[in-house]
């Protein structure tokens, strides 16, 4: 099994910054893409950003230029640096990883428990 553990959420004022971290652990065979999704109250979960094991990134338009995704492959950890935060960024943020554990014959998606990010004055 692969477990994902997030940290770094909280309350921040508009214009502020937060950094989310997510570490994968367990019987990891390989981790391919890692990413962040978010779900605001009453809305569907949406992709925020992803990063491949080679470092290629993808962002949803609303966060481009404000958020930066990065990863440390040696630590199986992904980060999301969030700057210039807006109230509309308020959501539960979920870390996601695509890969397989030592007993899996195929890749699958793994999810963390979610961390609350609230942007409010």
């Amino acid at each position: 099994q692969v477990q994902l553990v997030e940290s770094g959420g909280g309350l921040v004022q508009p214009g502020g910054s937060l950094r989310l971290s997510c570490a994968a652990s367990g019987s990891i065979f390989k981790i391919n893409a890692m990413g962040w999704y978010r779900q605001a109250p009453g809305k569907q979960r949406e992709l925020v950003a992803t990063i491949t094991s080679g470092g290629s990134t993808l962002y949803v338009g609303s966060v481009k230029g404000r958020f930066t995704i990065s990863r440390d492959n040696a630590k199986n950890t992904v980060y999301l640096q969030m700057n210039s935060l807006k109230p509309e960024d308020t959501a539960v943020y979920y870390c996601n990883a695509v890969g397989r554990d030592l007993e899996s014959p195929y890749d699958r998606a793994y999810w963390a428990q979610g961390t609350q990010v609230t942007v409010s004055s």
Side-chain angles (χ1 to χ4, degrees), residues 70-117:
S70 60
R71 67 188 282 176
D72 183 332
N73 289 333
K75 296 181 179 179
N76 288 316
T77 299
V78 64
Y79 308 95
L80 185 68
Q81 178 66 43
M82 304 184 291
N83 298 329
S84 301
L85 282 160
K86 304 175 181 180
E88 50 264 43
D89 295 317
T90 295
V92 177
Y93 283 70
Y94 296 91
C95 172
N96 167 271
V98 177
R100 67 180 71 174
D101 60 42
L102 296 175
E103 297 181 351
S104 298
Y106 49 81
D107 287 355
R108 56 156 289 186
Y110 301 91
W111 292 93
Q113 76 284 0
T115 187
Q116 178 70 45
V117 171

Side-chain angles (χ1 to χ4, degrees), residues 3 12 28 41 48-49 60 63 75 80 87 100 104 109:
Q3 296 83 38
V12 64
I28 298 170
V48 176
V60 68
V63 308
K75 296 181 179 179
L80 185 68
R100 67 180 71 174
S104 298

Side-chain angles (χ1 to χ4, degrees), residues 2-107:
V2 175
Q3 296 83 38
L4 300 179
V5 178
E6 300 173 338
S7 61
L11 172 65
V12 64
Q13 292 186 343
S17 298
L18 280 177
R19 189 188 193 216
L20 305 182
S21 301
C22 174
S25 63
S27 55
I28 298 170
F29 177 69
K30 66 172 182 177
I31 298 291
N32 298 320
M34 300 186 80
W36 295 92
Y37 289 70
R38 67 186 179 185
Q39 187 166 19
K43 295 187 177 181
Q44 290 188 334
R45 189 175 298 188
E46 66 169 353
L47 171 69
V48 176
T50 63
I51 184 168
T52 67
S53 57
S56 297
T57 58
L58 175 70
Y59 297 92
V60 68
S62 60
V63 308
K64 283 183 179 178
R66 300 188 298 122
F67 291 10
T68 302
I69 189 170
S70 60
R71 67 188 282 176
D72 183 332
N73 289 333
K75 296 181 179 179
N76 288 316
T77 299
V78 64
Y79 308 95
L80 185 68
Q81 178 66 43
M82 304 184 291
N83 298 329
S84 301
L85 282 160
K86 304 175 181 180
E88 50 264 43
D89 295 317
T90 295
V92 177
Y93 283 70
Y94 296 91
C95 172
N96 167 271
V98 177
R100 67 180 71 174
D101 60 42
L102 296 175
E103 297 181 351
S104 298
Y106 49 81
D107 287 355

